[in-house]
Amino acid sequence: MAKSRNNLLGVGGQRGKLSRGDRQGSAPSPDAAERRTAAAEAKQELLRKMRERVGADDEQESSEQQESQK
């Protein structure tokens, strides 16, 4: 029986996934690490503010519930 030559899926292997910068051949910029740390700090600050807001809301709700029970 002859081999089927129509099904060539995967014959050439898989291409590795490259980031856009890697495809364009650019090297990481000198301040890339600085931008990453600044972004991480901004994220931490945002999370802290959100947690404070949620905590303040919870305290208000609990105090309102206690007053309504009296």
Side-chain angles (χ1 to χ4, degrees):
M1 214 165 142
K3 290 185 178 178
S4 171
R5 299 222 182 247
N6 295 331
N7 189 8
L8 296 176
L9 182 64
V11 170
Q14 291 184 344
R15 293 174 57 183
K17 290 184 170 49
L18 298 175
S19 68
R20 184 176 178 187
D22 290 339
R23 283 182 295 188
Q24 293 175 351
S26 65
S29 63
D31 63 343
E34 184 178 318
R35 283 194 308 243
R36 277 194 300 273
T37 57
E41 289 171 0
K43 182 178 179 181
Q44 291 297 322
E45 181 69 17
L46 179 63
L47 286 171
R48 183 186 62 79
K49 287 180 182 179
M50 291 174 68
R51 287 183 181 134
E52 285 178 358
R53 186 177 299 158
V54 168
D57 290 344
D58 289 343
E59 288 175 9
Q60 283 181 343
E61 289 176 6
S62 63
S63 64
E64 289 173 358
Q65 287 176 356
Q66 290 175 355
E67 290 175 2
S68 66
Q69 291 176 357
K70 290 182 181 180

